[in-house]
Amino acid sequence: MAQWGVTETKMGSHRGVLVQAGFLLICALNASNVCADEPKSTPENTIHVQLAAPVPPQKFPKAPKFFISEVIDRSGNPQPMLVLRAKGGVFLDRQPTQITREAVEQSLKAADLLAADAASADLVLQIYVFHFGLAQGSGLDYFGKVEFSVMVKNLKTEESQQIQAAGTCIANAAVRKKNIQKNVQANIEGALEDAVRNLVRGTQLREAVASLLKGNASGPVAAPGNGMAFEHGDGSGSKNFKSESQTR
């Protein structure tokens, strides 16, 4: 009887080992399938996102010089360059932080508001990217979203203010791979342009500049013909208003 008990124990131990080995084999096969389904970046599924043209910044009473010190990824996304996983994947050719830097610098430089370095800048910008790419949509379209915050700092006074900028864009979905990539690229570029416009033409930046450079601020700019120049709340420009007597 004792020998039978030992034999039964050994058989039970063997069964346990077999069950464990089978479980490990299943896990390995599943992991292998997941890796096989994971999209890989290739020249055919990679897109180049950039602004079609610089976004004209708003007009300041005294034009400041900006310098971008850092652009930091705060999205928490382990694959920030993978913007679409389905259909073999769609990848960016550069990190979202680099694309964001290029877009903001391009717009500031076009308006002669970009400083060569921090020492020659009136204000230094540090950008934190929270979202760059596609967000969840209705399933029938691609919902592009770019969101970042900007720390605006006066290095001389050590004062700083944080402002927000975000942009969205919706494009129709597609079936063919080439059309999918085209729509995704157009959608992200639209959201990027919207976010940059929200930054460089927004009231938050205007108020931050006025506050941080208050020692150098000048009064309202006189318009031709003794009219007064007012800047729109969205930073879209200014209009000249004549007095009633001038109109007559």
Side-chain angles (χ1 to χ4, degrees):
M1 293 293 292
Q3 185 177 0
W4 171 255
V6 172
T7 303
E8 189 176 35
T9 301
K10 289 182 178 179
M11 291 178 63
S13 177
H14 290 160
R15 290 193 189 97
V17 171
L18 290 174
V19 170
Q20 185 177 8
F23 177 75
L24 292 175
L25 179 60
I26 292 173
C27 289
L29 291 174
N30 288 337
S32 179
N33 290 334
V34 169
C35 291
D37 294 338
E38 188 72 14
K40 298 290 190 297
S41 176
T42 66
E44 289 73 27
N45 65 0
T46 301
I47 59 176
H48 182 77
V49 171
Q50 64 179 7
L51 290 182
V55 177
Q58 61 187 287
K59 302 295 183 181
F60 296 95
K62 183 179 180 181
K65 290 285 187 178
F66 300 95
F67 178 75
I68 301 177
S69 60
E70 290 182 286
V71 183
I72 302 169
D73 187 350
R74 288 291 176 84
S75 67
N77 184 359
Q79 294 180 289
M81 296 174 68
L82 176 61
V83 294
L84 182 66
R85 190 175 296 275
K87 302 290 185 178
V90 177
F91 291 82
L92 301 170
D93 64 350
R94 302 172 332 282
Q95 290 287 342
T97 50
Q98 183 181 348
I99 299 173
T100 302
R101 175 188 285 275
E102 291 172 357
V104 178
E105 285 184 343
Q106 178 185 359
S107 298
L108 294 176
K109 185 177 181 180
D112 196 27
L113 297 178
L114 184 65
D117 50 41
S120 60
D122 298 301
L123 297 168
V124 173
L125 309 180
Q126 190 169 43
I127 302 176
Y128 301 91
V129 179
F130 290 98
H131 192 100
F132 192 102
L134 298 180
Q136 187 174 3
S138 66
L140 300 176
D141 48 44
Y142 296 120
F143 179 53
K145 181 180 178 182
V146 173
E147 180 181 2
F148 53 83
S149 67
V150 182
M151 184 67 70
V152 187
K153 186 172 185 178
N154 185 330
L155 295 181
K156 295 179 182 178
T157 63
E158 293 297 321
E159 294 180 322
S160 63
Q161 287 193 21
Q162 185 166 322
I163 62 179
Q164 308 295 324
T168 57
C169 183
I170 297 178
N172 294 329
V175 176
R176 298 181 60 185
K177 178 70 175 180
K178 289 185 178 180
N179 292 336
I180 289 174
Q181 291 184 188
K182 182 180 179 181
N183 287 357
V184 168
Q185 179 176 341
N187 206 22
I188 297 176
E189 287 179 339
L192 174 63
E193 181 180 353
D194 196 21
V196 174
R197 180 182 296 106
N198 189 240
L199 170 65
V200 301
R201 298 184 70 85
T203 57
Q204 290 187 62
L205 180 62
R206 185 178 63 207
E207 292 171 356
V209 169
S211 175
L212 296 173
L213 298 179
K214 54 183 175 292
N216 301 328
S218 58
V221 179
N226 296 327
M228 187 67 70
F230 293 89
E231 187 173 77
H232 293 289
D234 61 356
S236 59
S238 60
K239 291 184 179 179
N240 296 332
F241 295 88
K242 295 182 178 179
S243 64
E244 184 178 352
S245 59
Q246 288 176 313
T247 304
R248 292 176 182 174

